[in-house]
Amino acid sequence: MLAIEKADVCLLMIDAKEGVTDQDTKIAGEAHEAGKGIIIVVNKWDDIEKDDHTIEIFKKDIYNKLAYLTYAPIIFISAKTGQRVNKLFEMINEVNKQNSMRVQTGVLNQVIDEAIAIVQPPTDKGKRLKILYVTQASTKPPTFVIFVNNKEIFHFSYERYLVNHIRKEFGMMGTPIRVIVREKGEKYED
């Protein structure tokens, strides 16, 4: 837990022969909740018999077991042979940069307006959710405050849609994105 707290980027090391264990799941959850950048590293890749579909099968299995980490890149390495270890360091730097990313409010609101134009906000009992504006409150992880007319109507599925749209526009590979919903006039306190 102390290592996760001190880290900017956490490497979740998975043994290729064992796959995702219960302990891996627990550690991944802690790193995710702490808002850390995360890279899933599959080690001992040299010991696995492979064909054209092996990597995709492994990725699908990992993301099925760690469904909340689909934003985390996966790299397959061999510590013994050094295979792809040099690429891991590039990935660490990139994930750290993404976790520290700050988006200008004007640009962010343009992206959210585009998302709203594609998929209208939900309605409840004749009332439509209105997204008034969005601002980024902090980094590590990127945290966005969305000001709305009625946060009771702001459904989790629409939040996920907006987060996916933000990822599509800005990347944010390897980093969780936090969303805080506020009604107009309500203060944001971190």
Side-chain angles (χ1 to χ4, degrees):
M1 297 306 158
L2 190 59
I4 290 172
E5 189 179 316
K6 288 182 177 183
D8 288 322
V9 177
C10 295
L11 305 179
L12 178 63
M13 190 74 69
I14 294 174
D15 186 308
K17 290 180 178 178
E18 292 180 28
V20 178
T21 66
D22 289 343
Q23 185 167 347
D24 295 333
T25 304
K26 184 175 180 348
I27 292 167
E30 294 291 337
H32 173 76
E33 289 301 316
K36 303 300 180 173
I38 301 171
I39 300 171
I40 301 169
V41 182
V42 180
N43 192 22
K44 300 182 183 176
W45 194 239
D46 55 315
D47 290 345
I48 299 295
E49 291 216 18
K50 298 173 253 327
D51 63 27
D52 293 346
H53 306 289
T54 309
I55 283 183
E56 290 311 312
I57 290 168
F58 262 79
K59 283 183 176 181
K60 187 176 179 184
D61 184 58
I62 290 167
Y63 286 140
N64 279 339
K65 292 177 180 164
L66 302 171
Y68 52 92
L69 285 186
T70 56
Y71 60 82
I74 299 174
I75 186 169
F76 297 85
I77 70 164
S78 168
K80 185 167 75 176
T81 67
Q83 179 186 27
R84 290 191 203 92
V85 172
N86 59 337
K87 290 185 178 184
L88 180 58
F89 292 104
E90 294 169 19
M91 197 178 273
I92 291 167
N93 289 333
E94 184 59 29
V95 167
N96 188 47
K97 188 172 115 184
Q98 298 282 313
N99 200 24
S100 304
M101 181 185 290
R102 183 163 288 282
V103 181
Q104 292 178 339
T105 300
V107 174
L108 181 60
N109 280 284
Q110 283 178 336
V111 167
I112 296 300
D113 287 345
E114 289 169 11
I116 292 168
I118 296 167
V119 176
Q120 288 291 309
T123 59
D124 185 37
K125 297 176 186 147
K127 289 188 176 183
R128 178 168 297 283
L129 174 72
K130 289 182 187 153
I131 296 177
L132 306 171
Y133 69 97
V134 183
T135 188
Q136 186 172 357
S138 62
T139 60
K140 293 189 177 187
T143 302
F144 300 98
V145 181
I146 300 177
F147 288 90
V148 299
N149 64 329
N150 183 342
K151 65 183 182 182
E152 298 298 317
I153 306 174
F154 193 86
H155 194 268
F156 175 75
S157 60
Y158 200 71
E159 175 183 325
R160 191 170 48 229
Y161 164 71
L162 293 177
V163 166
N164 288 338
H165 201 78
I166 289 169
R167 279 195 194 286
K168 189 176 113 194
E169 289 297 318
F170 302 111
M172 299 197 181
M173 170 185 78
T175 183
I177 293 176
R178 301 253 166 83
V179 172
I180 298 163
V181 181
R182 296 281 182 255
E183 288 183 12
K184 187 177 180 182
E186 193 178 340
K187 296 269 189 222
Y188 166 71
E189 292 174 21
D190 193 14

